[in-house]
Amino acid sequence: MELNDLAIFGGNPAFEKPRSTSNLTRPDKELFLKYIEQDYKNGNLSCDSPIIEQLEKRLAKLHGAKYCVTVCNGLWGLVLTINELRIKGKTEIIMPSLTYRRMGDIAAWLNLIPHFCDVDLNTLAFTPEAAEKGINENTALLLVLHPIVNICDIDGMIKLAEKYQLPLLFDSVESTYAVYNGQPIGSFGNAECFSVHASKFLNGFEGGYITTNDSSLARRLRAARDYGIDENGRCLTLGIDGRLISPHAAMTMACLDGVEDQVKKNKKNFYKYKVLLEDIEGMELVEYSEKERRSYKNILVKLNEKWPLTRDETLKILQEENMVVRPYYYPPLHLKPTVYKTIRGHLKNTEQLMEKYMLLPSGEFVDEKDIELIVDYIKYLRTNYKEISNTLRKQAAVN
Ligand SMILES: *Cc1c(COP(=O)(O)O)cnc(C)c1O
C-alpha cells in the first residue's frame, strides 16, 4: 500500500459498502414472515396482537424477570419508567456523563435535572463511589448505565440505592444477554430498560421494553404506554401513545430465535480482532469478561500513549475507507450544550478518557476477511504515521 492508496489522499476506499459499528442483525426472513403471517391474515397489524404478549413472555424469560412491558422505543421506555419510579417532589437524576447521548434529554422530558457523574478510569464503568458524590437531598432516582463492554458493579449500586433509599433503574441496552454473578441482566434494581432499535443487539426495527419483578410497576407501565389507561378503562397514570406494533414484535421474535448464532458470530469476530490487534503498538482491545455470558456485540479499542495519531485523525482516515468507526460516547454529556438545566462539574476521569476510545466495525455484515482488511489499514497507519501526519498537515494548510 502507498500513501496515495489511502482514500483520504485520493485512493479508492477499502470497502465499497460501508462497514458499520452497529449490530444490524438481519434475522431469517422466513421466520419473520411466519411471525407476522397470522396477524396479516387476521388483519391485525396494530398493537393488539397476541405476538406482543408472546414476545413479552420470551423477553422476561431471557432476562430472568417476572414481567416485561414492551414500548415504542427505548427512549420513551426510559421516560415512562423514570416517571413511575422517581421520588415525587425531588428534582435530580444521577447518571454518568460518559454514556448514551440522549440520557440528559430523557431527564429533561420529565422536567428533571440530569446530575452528571464520573466513571472509572480503567473499566469506563459508572461506580458506586462516583454515583455517591452526586447524591444529595434533591435526588429523585439513581440511573445506572452499563459501559459498552462489560458491566457495572451492580451489587454496589444496589447497596448504594438502599443506603439512600433511592429508586434504582438500570439502562441495560448494551448489556442485553449478559449475566452478572449467575443472574441475567434484566432482573436487577427496580427495573431495567432496553431498546430493540435496528442498531442494538436485538433488532425489532424500532422499539423497546422494560423488565421488572414489581407487579404494580408493570401494571402502571402497561397503562402508561396506552395513554395512562388500564385494561378496565381506569386512568392510572400519565401516559403516551407508546405501544410496540406487531411487525416490530415479529422482527424481534425472529431475532430471538437466532440469538445464539448471532453471539457465536460476534464472538468469532471479537477473537479475530483480538489476535490481529495483539501486536499493534498503541491500540488495545477492551476485552469481555470470559467468566459469564456476553453478547460480544461491540468492538471497543483504546488508543494509548503509544498510538502516534490523534483519535480524530485516526477516525477520519478510517471513515474515508468506508469503515464507519466511531468515537466512544463523545462528547460526554457534561460537555454538551443543552437547552435545559443540568448539573455538571469537572469530571476528571471522563475528561481524561473521552478522546482515547473508539468503536471498530462489528455485527452481522462484518466477516473475518473484513476484519483482516481493517487491521491491515490500522497497521499501515501505525507504521507510516509520520508521512501520514505530514501530509494531513499539508492538506489542512492548503484548505
Ligand atoms: C439506543 C439506546 C437507548 C435508546 O433507545 P432507542 O430505542 O433508540 O430510543 C437508550 N440507552 C442506550 C444505552 C442506548 O444505546
Side-chain angles (χ1 to χ4, degrees):
M1 192 155 40
E2 305 275 320
L3 208 58
N4 287 341
D5 292 331
L6 290 178
I8 199 164
F9 301 136
N12 290 324
F15 294 108
E16 210 169 297
K17 242 182 104 192
R19 296 297 192 275
S20 170
T21 55
S22 291
N23 205 46
L24 302 174
T25 305
R26 182 172 52 187
D28 186 328
K29 185 172 101 192
E30 294 310 316
L31 273 174
F32 169 59
L33 293 176
K34 181 192 89 184
Y35 282 121
I36 56 168
E37 193 181 9
Q38 206 57 38
D39 282 339
Y40 207 91
K41 264 194 204 142
N42 299 342
N44 188 358
L45 288 170
S46 180
C47 312
D48 292 317
S49 159
I51 198 177
I52 304 279
E53 237 183 276
Q54 287 166 27
L55 175 63
E56 289 179 343
K57 284 218 173 88
R58 272 184 89 171
L59 288 170
K61 192 159 171 236
L62 172 72
H63 291 291
K66 284 199 185 128
Y67 309 97
C68 169
V69 181
T70 51
V71 285
C72 58
N73 62 39
L75 187 146
W76 284 103
L78 281 157
V79 173
L80 296 179
T81 311
I82 292 169
N83 190 40
E84 295 304 324
L85 289 177
R86 73 196 162 95
I87 303 173
K88 305 290 183 286
K90 306 276 182 182
T91 50
E92 296 176 14
I93 300 189
I94 302 289
M95 64 175 76
S97 168
L98 194 68
T99 195
Y100 177 59
R101 63 187 190 280
R102 303 268 170 257
M103 288 325 285
D105 306 7
I106 287 167
W109 274 108
L110 291 161
N111 248 335
L112 292 167
I113 304 164
H115 189 136
F116 299 127
C117 301
D118 219 344
V119 292
D120 184 80
L121 260 187
N122 296 312
T123 61
L124 304 178
F126 191 25
T127 60
E129 297 70 38
E132 188 162 20
K133 284 197 185 131
I135 294 175
N136 60 44
E137 68 282 3
N138 300 321
T139 305
L141 179 128
L142 173 55
L143 178 53
V144 176
L145 292 106
H146 298 293
I148 267 183
V149 173
N150 294 321
I151 293 172
C152 292
D153 170 9
I154 294 181
D155 288 339
M157 289 297 188
I158 292 172
K159 279 202 198 101
L160 183 68
E162 274 168 5
K163 178 172 168 190
Y164 291 94
Q165 296 284 297
L166 291 173
L168 173 60
L169 174 61
F170 289 96
D171 174 322
S172 300
V173 171
E174 291 295 354
S175 305
T176 314
Y177 186 79
V179 165
Y180 175 84
N181 290 347
Q183 201 178 320
I185 290 295
S187 55
F188 296 99
N190 293 91
E192 301 205 35
C193 287
F194 299 88
S195 165
V196 295
H197 180 267
S199 60
K200 314 292 173 163
F201 178 64
L202 295 172
N203 175 8
F205 301 125
E206 174 96 85
Y209 59 94
I210 303 115
T211 56
T212 181
N213 291 321
D214 175 345
S215 63
S216 155
L217 176 66
R219 243 184 81 239
R220 282 177 286 135
L221 287 171
R222 275 181 215 292
R225 71 177 175 186
D226 202 3
Y227 303 98
I229 312 292
D230 75 3
E231 66 278 14
N232 303 316
R234 279 189 317 152
C235 179
L236 216 57
T237 184
L238 177 64
I240 58 165
D241 173 10
R243 292 188 296 175
L244 189 73
I245 58 171
S246 73
H248 292 192
M251 183 71 166
T252 313
M253 289 280 261
C255 276
L256 276 171
D257 287 341
V259 139
E260 299 306 328
D261 290 337
Q262 194 193 325
V263 172
K264 235 182 252 160
K265 159 131 209 213
N266 288 351
K267 197 166 174 180
K268 208 163 142 197
N269 280 354
F270 173 82
Y271 279 102
K272 185 79 184 175
Y273 270 117
K274 181 169 149 69
V275 168
L276 294 177
L277 289 174
E278 218 132 64
D279 45 43
I280 295 189
E281 212 183 7
M283 191 178 282
E284 295 166 35
L285 181 66
V286 180
E287 297 200 30
Y288 288 87
S289 159
E290 305 256 0
K291 282 185 289 187
E292 294 191 283
R293 206 169 74 178
R294 296 287 184 268
S295 74
Y296 295 89
K297 172 180 176 284
N298 302 302
I299 304 295
L300 181 66
V301 293
K302 179 181 184 182
L303 304 179
N304 66 27
E305 323 63 57
K306 299 224 171 89
W307 184 255
L309 297 162
T310 68
R311 184 184 63 179
D312 278 355
E313 288 168 341
T314 312
L315 287 171
K316 193 151 184 275
I317 296 166
L318 296 177
Q319 281 164 356
E320 292 285 334
E321 303 297 341
N322 273 335
M323 301 168 195
V324 192
V325 289
R326 285 188 305 146
Y328 179 75
Y329 291 142
Y330 188 81
L333 306 186
H334 76 291
L335 298 179
K336 251 177 62 165
T338 55
V339 294
Y340 47 82
K341 188 175 167 192
T342 63
I343 297 174
R344 44 176 100 197
H346 167 56
L347 302 177
K348 203 168 101 274
N349 294 352
T350 299
E351 284 166 36
Q352 199 176 321
L353 294 167
M354 68 186 185
E355 284 173 353
K356 293 210 164 106
Y357 287 83
M358 63 181 208
L359 290 157
L360 297 180
S362 61
E364 173 131 352
F365 298 98
V366 175
D367 63 25
E368 292 184 276
K369 274 235 147 51
D370 295 342
I371 295 170
E372 281 168 14
L373 190 58
I374 290 163
V375 177
D376 279 348
Y377 273 79
I378 291 172
K379 254 186 209 150
Y380 184 81
L381 300 191
R382 181 70 189 81
T383 316
N384 299 282
Y385 68 93
K386 274 198 190 123
E387 281 170 274
I388 292 173
S389 313
N390 286 339
T391 315
L392 279 176
R393 236 158 273 152
K394 267 186 228 148
Q395 243 185 13
V398 171
N399 297 331

